[in-house]
Amino acid sequence: MPHILIVEDETIIRSALRRLLERNQYQVSEAGSVQEAQERYSIPGFDLIISDLRLPGAPGTELIKLAQGTPVLIMTSYASLRSAVDSMKMGAVDYIAKPFDHDEMLQAVSRILKERQEARSTPSERPTAGRGGEKAAAANADGEIGIIGSCSAMLELYSKIRKVAPTDSTVLIQGESGTGKELVARALHNLSRRAKAPLISVNCAAIPETLIESELFGHEKGAFTGATAGRAGLVEAADGGTLFLDEIGELPLEAQARLLRVLQEGEIRRVGSVQSQKVDVRLIAATHRDLKTLAKTGQFREDLYYRLHVISLKLPALRERGNDVLEIARSFLARQCSQMGRESLRFAADAEQAIRHYNWPGNVRELENAIERAVILCESPDISADLLGIDIELDDLDDLDFNEAAAPAQANNTAHEPTEDLSLEDYFQHFVLEHQDHMTETELARKLGISRKCLWERRQRLGIPRRKSGAAAGP
């Protein structure tokens, strides 16, 4: 059982993280500061250290030196991401932004421990796994790319990645939500001459619109209310390395203009500054939206679109990958069994059939969640189809209105009113699908009483893509 040390001064966060890790079969110790950790434990004896960046006394980065090779995962808030990137340059294995998603934390922990084990057994091999919720952490036949799958579309993608990676060309990765676009970006970075420099991943949809320019390009002291000191942005943090902008279709027009300057001139200007500075950054962008259509309707800068579209890589949806889905499912099953300390499970025949024939609108992310659910609920060596929690008949309902497919047909209900039997997630889906064509993301979030970031995260988890501009709400 891996032994993990948590160093966090906020008791609530420390206790919650401890319970999360212990539920997933990890042995956990904790401390409230670097000094307490030194006094109570032999720090190099742990398998992983998870530490807050800002601690009373010494910062969490002090643990990197004390760990003597034990990986250190830094936790930080979005406001301190620049410092987190600095900690990676000092030797931290990775960082995770608070408030973190439980699945994201568990995936990061699993990946880091797996990489450490592989490094011990085969130190010459380079780790290829990536960060975040949509990463299928396994390798294809030659182990270079780090993605499961051998269908013709994926083999063609691997070939393009190997050709494009050594160059500094801008790359646009296109594909539906949950297909593994960040994993492709990490493969491009790892196979490039910039592999030893930082790969800075930014989810454009997860940062509030009012902060996106400051986060990306930095700001000077007094540039806006609350800017009590100047701060470098994430583009600067990626200097010499790779900047990965996920969901770039969500980037506001003002930030798009600044990004275009980075691509054209190789320089940035912080918010509130009159001086520019040079940066050497390779840009990789990803989106599930049709940027060409958005450009024609004025929702995305046309000049930026053509700058991004130097090299385009298309990541196929899971339903288009044939038998790859079973290969990925078996990999997830083995990983979940290992994480939960269960004996090896296998899919029953009806489960394999369901996995092959279900449409998987949420792609790899939805598949991973379904298998995690099945492993938790399974009480026998075989996982049956019903434990996956998917409705194979949904594929036959593509042409029906959402309300006809999801809500009982009762005389006292209208198409605009969810039934009382709907769960909270059903209600969320109902509301978003009903109103997303005439409301902005900000308006939807306000009506639902959640943040814009939370709205985006739920879309990803439930596999609800944003409709293209001008799409009809339904028949």
Side-chain angles (χ1 to χ4, degrees):
M1 183 182 294
H3 195 179
I4 299 173
L5 172 63
I6 301 171
V7 185
E8 165 65 67
D9 59 319
E10 294 189 38
T11 306
I12 294 176
I13 296 176
R14 189 170 70 238
S15 299
L17 181 54
R18 176 174 189 151
R19 289 194 299 271
L20 172 67
L21 293 173
E22 287 179 339
R23 284 199 305 268
N24 285 271
Q25 310 303 313
Y26 295 111
Q27 182 182 354
V28 180
S29 297
E30 58 184 77
S33 67
V34 174
Q35 182 179 352
E36 182 184 349
Q38 282 183 281
E39 292 173 351
R40 296 181 60 185
Y41 309 110
S42 172
I43 293 177
F46 290 92
D47 296 294
L48 170 64
I49 299 168
I50 303 175
S51 175
D52 191 17
L53 181 61
R54 299 177 184 272
L55 292 167
T61 49
E62 286 296 310
L63 291 162
I64 298 171
K65 292 178 286 186
L66 299 171
Q68 300 178 20
T70 297
V72 177
L73 173 64
I74 292 292
M75 297 185 293
T76 184
S77 65
Y78 259 116
S80 304
L81 275 185
R82 181 65 178 87
S83 300
V85 173
D86 287 340
S87 72
M88 288 184 66
K89 293 180 179 178
M90 294 169 63
V93 67
D94 212 337
Y95 67 86
I96 189 167
K98 296 193 296 186
F100 51 80
D101 177 79
H102 283 190
D103 289 339
E104 182 184 5
M105 173 61 79
L106 291 174
Q107 287 173 1
V109 168
S110 174
R111 171 178 57 81
I112 293 167
L113 291 172
K114 180 181 178 183
E115 287 177 0
R116 188 175 192 233
Q117 184 178 9
E118 290 176 348
R120 284 173 167 175
S121 57
T122 54
S124 62
E125 293 183 4
R126 179 169 55 194
T128 55
R131 295 181 61 209
E134 62 185 60
K135 293 171 278 298
N140 58 321
D142 60 20
E144 279 189 312
I145 305 300
I147 306 173
I148 299 174
S150 55
C151 68
S152 59
M154 295 305 292
L155 292 177
E156 183 179 349
L157 177 65
Y158 302 152
S159 176
K160 288 182 179 179
I161 288 174
R162 292 190 189 93
K163 290 177 182 177
V164 173
T167 74
D168 272 343
S169 296
T170 301
V171 180
L172 179 63
I173 306 170
Q174 297 174 297
E176 295 179 8
S177 294
T179 48
K181 296 187 288 294
E182 186 171 347
L183 191 56
V184 174
R186 186 166 289 271
L188 289 167
H189 174 75
N190 286 342
L191 296 175
S192 75
R193 63 178 180 84
R194 299 173 180 265
K196 294 183 179 179
L199 167 64
I200 306 299
S201 299
V202 183
N203 189 320
C204 298
I207 303 176
E209 291 184 25
T210 54
L211 295 178
I212 188 73
E213 288 189 66
S214 171
E215 289 297 324
L216 285 178
F217 308 106
H219 64 259
E220 297 295 344
K221 180 180 179 180
F224 50 83
T225 302
T228 56
R231 186 165 65 87
L234 295 174
V235 177
E236 283 183 66
D239 192 20
T242 305
L243 177 68
F244 173 53
L245 295 182
D246 198 6
E247 299 300 344
I248 196 169
E250 310 300 324
L251 200 63
L253 290 171
E254 295 82 359
Q256 291 179 28
R258 288 179 177 270
L259 182 60
L260 184 64
R261 184 176 181 85
V262 174
L263 294 176
Q264 289 179 329
E265 309 295 338
E267 61 183 29
I268 62 167
R269 187 167 64 237
R270 293 184 183 182
V271 176
S273 175
V274 295
Q275 294 184 330
S276 299
Q277 60 186 94
K278 289 290 184 179
V279 289
D280 173 23
V281 172
R282 184 194 191 173
L283 179 66
I284 299 174
T287 182
H288 71 277
R289 307 184 71 186
D290 186 344
L291 294 188
K292 189 173 184 179
T293 299
L294 293 179
K296 288 180 179 179
T297 58
Q299 298 176 68
F300 196 86
R301 289 184 65 106
E302 193 169 15
D303 47 3
L304 177 58
Y305 167 71
Y306 287 114
R307 278 282 178 178
L308 293 174
H309 206 263
V310 177
I311 301 291
S312 179
L313 299 180
K314 179 71 168 67
L315 196 55
L318 189 56
R319 61 183 172 276
E320 300 168 353
R321 293 177 56 181
N323 287 330
D324 281 1
V325 64
L326 271 178
E327 187 181 352
I328 297 170
R330 288 171 182 144
S331 173
F332 284 150
L333 178 59
R335 188 176 72 182
Q336 289 295 338
C337 288
S338 175
Q339 286 183 355
M340 297 183 190
R342 296 202 54 169
E343 295 292 330
S344 295
L345 301 176
R346 60 180 180 268
F347 295 115
D350 63 339
E352 290 197 352
Q353 185 177 10
I355 290 170
R356 279 199 306 267
H357 293 95
Y358 181 56
N359 203 39
W360 298 112
N363 292 293
V364 177
R365 184 184 298 108
E366 184 185 7
L367 174 62
E368 184 174 17
N369 291 340
I371 291 170
E372 181 179 358
R373 176 186 188 274
V375 172
I376 292 171
L377 298 178
C378 187
E379 297 179 351
S380 68
D382 293 337
I383 292 178
S384 58
D386 61 299
L387 291 178
L388 294 169
I390 58 176
D391 187 351
I392 196 65
E393 296 178 357
L394 284 178
D395 291 345
D396 299 326
L397 301 176
D398 288 343
D399 298 327
L400 296 181
D401 181 80
F402 173 82
N403 296 301
E404 295 173 357
Q410 298 179 5
N412 59 346
N413 289 330
T414 69
H416 300 281
E417 296 176 351
T419 72
E420 294 179 359
D421 293 332
L422 291 179
S423 67
L424 287 175
E425 288 196 346
D426 289 335
Y427 177 80
F428 176 87
Q429 286 185 309
H430 177 100
F431 187 89
V432 171
L433 290 168
E434 184 71 24
H435 299 287
Q436 67 177 352
D437 290 324
H438 58 272
M439 284 186 182
T440 65
E441 292 295 278
T442 300
E443 289 171 335
L444 278 173
R446 188 181 300 119
K447 289 286 187 183
L448 287 165
I450 59 178
S451 67
R452 189 168 174 267
K453 177 186 176 184
C454 185
L455 172 61
W456 181 87
E457 288 174 341
R458 289 192 186 179
R459 278 186 180 278
Q460 306 310 300
R461 188 173 72 251
L462 298 173
I464 312 174
R466 291 184 62 176
R467 293 254 178 90
K468 296 176 184 177
S469 177

